[in-house]
Amino acid sequence: MCLERVARYMTSSPDKVQLYLPVHNEYVEFGEGLSLHEEITRYIGKEFPHVPGNKCSVYCVPKQPIHRTEQQANQAESHVFNCLRELDIPGLWVVFFQGRSYGGKSFRKERNGKLMMREHDYVIFTSYNGNNHVTLVEVKSTCDASREGMKISDAKAIKNSKRSAQHQLRDHVELLQASVEMSTDLSSELNCFIFWPFLSCMTKDPQNNTISRWKEDGKLHVFMDAFETPAKFIQWFQDEILRNGNCMNSNHWDVLLKRFIVLSCGVYVDEIHEGMLALLSQEQVDLLNRRPTGKPLIIHGAAGTGKTMLTVRKLQQLYEDGQLHENSRALYICYWPGIRCDVVQKLEALGISEFVDTQRFFISTDGFLKGNKKGYKHIFMDESEAICLSFEERIITQTFEEIFKHYHMGNPCAGAQEPGVLWFLVDINQASLFLPKHSPNILKTPDVILTNVVRSTGTIYRVFKQFYQEPVPRFPAAVKLEAYQNLQGISIAHNISGPPIYWVDSNSQQSCLQAMVSVILDLCSTKGIKPNDLCVLPFFVNSDFRPDVINREIENHFVDQGFMPQALANVESFLLTSKPNNFLVPWVLRVKGLEFKVVVMVIDDEDFDFADAEDRRKVYIMVSRCTCLLVLLSSEAVKNSIDKHKIIINYPFSLKLP
């Protein structure tokens, strides 16, 4: 229902919509700097582009047919899905959506403005020869001929299916009309059909004569003769939609397309800010809609591609679908305490923490899940690559044995019901920082590779693109990563350039410590940056970056017992206390999965070697924590080695301190 509220943003209360993007503020409200209309238009162009030339462009959301519990219904919808996906008409652009649930108010006399939930079987958007079409389709699985594995339907079942489909189409049109608040009658612009892929167009009358079925309904019904071959379906599509179908006003078409983009590709991230919306890439949508098979799903992605966000979203989706509850629990596993703390807070904000246990795994001691006798329907192992930090194969083996044991305890009846989700997520950047000598081969063969960076701004991406493009794990040569062979590198998933990257010469003051403190105090005292929006990431943590050393230097510039920024190294304490004057100075791997508005990256000449691939990957991990502003504190030599295209600009403000 909350996505339905956002889907109506284009005509009602647009000031209530907030879009999650890495920008100056944590979110963008309608009318404040970024048009949500424009961003979704850009999103459509990126995710569903027109193929150059006079070729056919067909896109489907999700990419695979949604699985239905009833076998015959599943076969019918999958058959229609494949027919749509195989459309091949020069110059045609199609995006079709399957199984989109939504809600709205019904104003029919007996319903009195009450809410009604509906799910479309298919909504098809087409653009062809300058005309736009929107087609609503209900699919029925009734069968009137002998087919392998199918139940033949009797006359009463067929009649009931017809009546049901007609009511469903009427409800869809009514809710669309109400939700988009158009003054014109939308029904005159929509195409509505009932698809019967297993039902003949001919039937018998009471005198046993063969007659056409339901002639009185015109062309509402599409029977199995139109689905027999791809060529026949293409011909039907051309005749009944592109040539003779109702055309839609381009403004109305645009409104409805954006509405279904939000409903199908948008997710609420209320744990970041109430009412905030994020638009997912198609690879992310595809991951969320994958049907579990009882086998592990291995997900690789570079830092900032949204692995943890998708995990939280999947848990929310399971809860909304009735698959996450007290008798169908989930387990979230990670290594670093910071990300565990962050995920716990997000689950609490979503109201599902009581059904999700969280656990850290170990790399140097036994006892993972010791004493835990629970079975888990769903298990997510985030940061799976961190297991490679362990030097004992026994500990690694025991960890995975425990995970599979608890998963099978939660899924005891193979084949009796759909299995639960089992995800292993691997950060390919951090996996490449250490040789995963003893790690299971299962982690080295990804099923999904996430390639769109959602966290960094465009400016940060342009400067560090050379680092973004190179991360590939150093798995043993014996393991063939065929999934990576056609990988063209990763790209940025949004259209936000963001503020510039500022550079401060670390030699501009007496010491690197003083230069760093000068930047912190200037940001917090004169630039309006809140201390707890700030993270200082040293490339190498030495004695100068201990919190007590930094805080003593800060205290030299403040009156006694005054409000002043204070460094904190413990990520959990920083996240849990949220004290307004604390800022974080951690070892970079401890902030895995977290993001900060402002990052100050401190690189010393002696620690950083641009020619070293591992050093470049570490820098990538550091910059991918940032959403709004990046400050590079380094020597001019380091800055020049990184800034090949002269994009980084000098810090434009005074750093003189009393």
Side-chain angles (χ1 to χ4, degrees):
M1 286 300 294
C2 54
L3 276 181
E4 172 62 25
R5 173 166 53 86
V6 176
R8 297 198 300 270
Y9 74 89
M10 60 285 291
T11 53
S12 59
S13 304
D15 57 309
K16 301 298 183 184
V17 178
Q18 299 167 354
L19 183 64
Y20 175 57
L21 289 170
V23 287
H24 295 274
N25 298 314
E26 191 172 32
Y27 58 90
V28 175
E29 291 189 1
F30 222 64
E32 290 191 8
L34 178 72
S35 165
L36 192 51
H37 277 288
E38 293 175 5
E39 179 58 24
I40 296 183
T41 298
R42 186 206 63 81
Y43 173 89
I44 293 169
K46 176 175 70 72
E47 296 292 334
F48 311 106
H50 286 265
V51 177
N54 198 32
K55 296 182 180 178
C56 185
S57 311
V58 179
Y59 304 96
C60 40
V61 182
K63 289 186 177 180
Q64 300 297 325
I66 292 175
H67 177 73
R68 302 299 184 188
T69 54
E70 204 274 312
Q71 183 182 4
Q72 197 154 310
N74 189 58
Q75 287 180 282
E77 287 205 37
S78 295
H79 187 70
V80 171
F81 188 98
N82 292 329
C83 286
L84 290 169
R85 191 164 50 183
E86 292 172 7
L87 284 170
D88 188 9
I89 301 171
L92 174 67
W93 180 90
V94 179
V95 177
F96 67 89
F97 303 89
Q98 184 198 8
R100 187 70 270 154
S101 296
Y102 68 104
K105 290 187 176 181
S106 173
F107 292 94
R108 256 181 263 161
K109 194 175 292 184
E110 67 274 15
R111 291 172 177 167
N112 249 350
K114 292 182 180 179
L115 286 171
M116 179 169 57
M117 288 296 295
R118 283 291 178 267
E119 180 183 276
H120 279 293
D121 285 348
Y122 287 96
V123 182
I124 307 166
F125 288 83
T126 60
S127 178
Y128 182 70
N129 286 345
N131 293 323
N132 300 312
H133 311 268
V134 177
T135 303
L136 309 182
V137 171
E138 285 298 307
V139 180
K140 292 303 173 184
S141 60
T142 46
C143 180
D144 65 349
S146 179
R147 288 172 176 265
E148 184 178 352
M150 290 190 184
K151 179 182 177 182
I152 298 176
S153 307
D154 59 25
K156 183 177 181 181
I158 294 173
K159 185 177 180 180
N160 288 341
S161 290
K162 175 190 175 185
R163 184 184 297 113
S164 169
Q166 289 174 318
H167 285 308
Q168 287 169 320
L169 286 173
R170 183 184 63 177
D171 288 343
H172 292 322
V173 173
E174 179 190 0
L175 292 188
L176 283 181
Q177 182 75 58
S179 65
V180 297
E181 298 179 357
M182 294 175 181
S183 56
T184 58
D185 180 10
L186 198 61
S187 62
S188 64
E189 299 184 24
L190 289 166
N191 299 298
C192 294
F193 295 100
I194 304 172
F195 283 1
W196 306 83
F198 308 136
L199 189 65
S200 169
C201 62
M202 307 304 289
T203 186
K204 298 283 188 177
D205 67 9
Q207 287 74 43
N208 206 32
N209 298 314
T210 301
I211 60 172
S212 297
R213 196 187 299 268
W214 303 324
K215 287 192 298 183
E216 68 277 10
D217 291 341
K219 296 180 179 180
L220 175 66
H221 305 279
V222 185
F223 298 104
M224 67 179 183
D225 59 308
F227 298 95
E228 286 177 347
T229 65
K232 286 188 176 182
F233 183 76
I234 290 172
Q235 188 62 55
W236 173 87
F237 197 90
Q238 286 179 305
D239 292 342
E240 302 304 333
I241 295 181
L242 302 184
R243 293 196 185 106
N244 302 315
N246 293 325
C247 294
M248 180 165 281
N249 175 287
S250 59
N251 290 331
H252 297 171
W253 185 85
D254 185 61
V255 166
L256 289 180
L257 176 59
K258 289 178 178 177
R259 177 182 186 277
F260 278 94
I261 289 290
V262 170
L263 284 171
S264 302
C265 306
V267 299
Y268 256 104
V269 283
D270 286 334
E271 71 276 11
I272 298 174
H273 191 282
E274 184 180 358
M276 189 176 295
L277 172 73
L279 287 173
L280 302 182
S281 67
Q282 288 310 291
E283 63 185 9
Q284 292 172 321
V285 173
D286 184 40
L287 173 59
L288 288 173
N289 285 288
R290 283 208 174 206
R291 181 189 172 197
T293 62
K295 298 179 180 179
L297 188 69
I298 312 302
I299 302 160
H300 282 199
T305 52
K307 296 184 295 299
T308 303
M309 181 188 78
L310 289 171
T311 298
V312 174
R313 170 56 187 157
K314 185 63 180 180
L315 286 164
Q316 184 184 26
Q317 185 185 75
L318 290 169
Y319 175 74
E320 291 171 348
D321 292 343
Q323 299 180 54
L324 180 66
H325 46 78
E326 186 55 46
N327 297 318
S328 180
R329 300 183 61 81
L331 175 65
Y332 173 81
I333 306 166
C334 62
Y335 177 65
W336 297 106
I339 194 170
R340 179 189 183 187
C341 181
D342 185 58
V343 167
V344 167
Q345 290 181 325
K346 290 176 179 178
L347 295 175
E348 289 175 349
L350 293 171
I352 59 176
S353 59
E354 63 180 299
F355 308 125
V356 184
D357 292 343
T358 62
Q359 177 72 51
R360 291 182 61 201
F361 60 86
F362 310 126
I363 61 171
S364 58
T365 61
D366 295 325
F368 175 65
L369 293 179
K370 185 177 182 180
N372 188 329
K373 305 299 183 183
K374 298 178 183 177
Y376 292 99
K377 183 72 174 180
H378 316 286
I379 296 182
F380 301 81
M381 186 179 184
D382 207 350
E383 309 180 296
S384 300
E385 77 288 343
I387 199 72
C388 307
L389 291 169
S390 178
F391 292 101
E392 295 190 46
E393 188 172 3
R394 172 181 55 83
I395 292 176
I396 296 175
T397 301
Q398 180 195 59
T399 298
F400 281 89
E401 284 178 348
E402 287 293 319
I403 290 173
F404 283 108
K405 181 180 80 174
H406 285 267
Y407 177 77
H408 289 301
M409 288 168 59
N411 294 269
C413 304
Q417 55 184 341
E418 185 164 293
V421 175
L422 181 57
W423 282 8
F424 291 94
L425 300 106
V426 177
D427 187 319
I428 59 176
N429 299 96
Q430 296 186 27
S432 65
L433 292 178
F434 32 76
L435 186 65
K437 183 177 180 181
H438 302 300
S439 62
N441 284 340
I442 188 176
L443 297 183
K444 304 168 191 174
T445 52
D447 299 294
V448 177
I449 302 176
L450 300 175
T451 60
N452 288 315
V453 178
V454 296
R455 185 179 293 127
S456 298
T457 66
T459 304
I460 293 172
Y461 179 79
R462 289 203 309 278
V463 173
F464 295 95
K465 184 177 181 179
Q466 54 194 321
F467 301 167
Y468 281 69
Q469 298 291 353
E470 66 178 20
V472 174
R474 294 190 311 174
F475 291 132
V479 178
K480 293 183 179 180
L481 289 180
E482 296 179 0
Y484 281 99
Q485 291 179 356
N486 298 320
L487 186 59
Q488 302 298 314
I490 56 181
S491 59
I492 198 160
H494 53 74
N495 197 36
I496 303 302
S497 293
I501 304 169
Y502 293 141
W503 171 67
V504 175
D505 190 348
S506 57
N507 299 321
S508 62
Q509 299 194 35
Q510 294 178 2
S511 68
C512 184
L513 172 64
Q514 288 185 333
M516 180 189 68
V517 168
S518 297
V519 171
I520 293 167
L521 296 185
D522 183 60
L523 290 171
C524 295
S525 62
T526 67
K527 302 302 179 292
I529 302 297
K530 298 175 184 177
N532 59 11
D533 287 332
L534 178 67
C535 180
V536 177
L537 291 178
F539 188 83
F540 182 76
V541 179
N542 57 32
S543 58
D544 283 345
F545 298 111
R546 295 203 323 264
D548 58 326
V549 175
I550 296 171
N551 290 335
R552 277 200 302 271
E553 180 64 28
I554 290 175
E555 288 165 4
N556 291 334
H557 304 280
F558 282 84
V559 298
D560 291 341
Q561 298 179 340
F563 180 90
M564 67 184 79
Q566 289 285 280
L568 196 65
N570 187 290
V571 179
E572 286 179 287
S573 297
F574 176 80
L575 293 172
L576 290 173
T577 59
S578 298
K579 290 183 178 179
N581 64 325
N582 282 344
F583 65 92
L584 196 59
V585 188
W587 180 37
V588 63
L589 292 185
R590 290 191 175 275
V591 290
K592 175 177 169 29
L594 305 182
E595 57 184 30
F596 303 88
K597 290 182 181 178
V598 180
V599 169
V600 177
M601 184 170 61
V602 186
I603 301 179
D604 191 279
D605 294 56
E606 296 181 0
D607 303 325
F608 175 72
D609 179 5
F610 182 84
D612 189 325
E614 290 193 5
D615 281 5
R616 295 196 301 272
R617 291 188 183 107
K618 186 175 179 181
V619 169
Y620 165 83
I621 294 169
M622 295 166 72
V623 300
S624 63
R625 302 302 100 201
C626 177
T627 63
C628 297
L629 178 61
L630 179 66
V631 179
L632 171 62
L633 182 62
S634 72
S635 69
E636 188 171 5
V638 169
K639 183 256 187 186
N640 290 338
S641 70
I642 293 173
D643 189 20
K644 301 294 187 182
H645 302 289
K646 308 300 180 185
I647 298 174
I648 302 175
I649 66 174
N650 292 339
Y651 195 81
F653 311 112
S654 171
L655 290 176
K656 293 181 180 179
L657 296 174

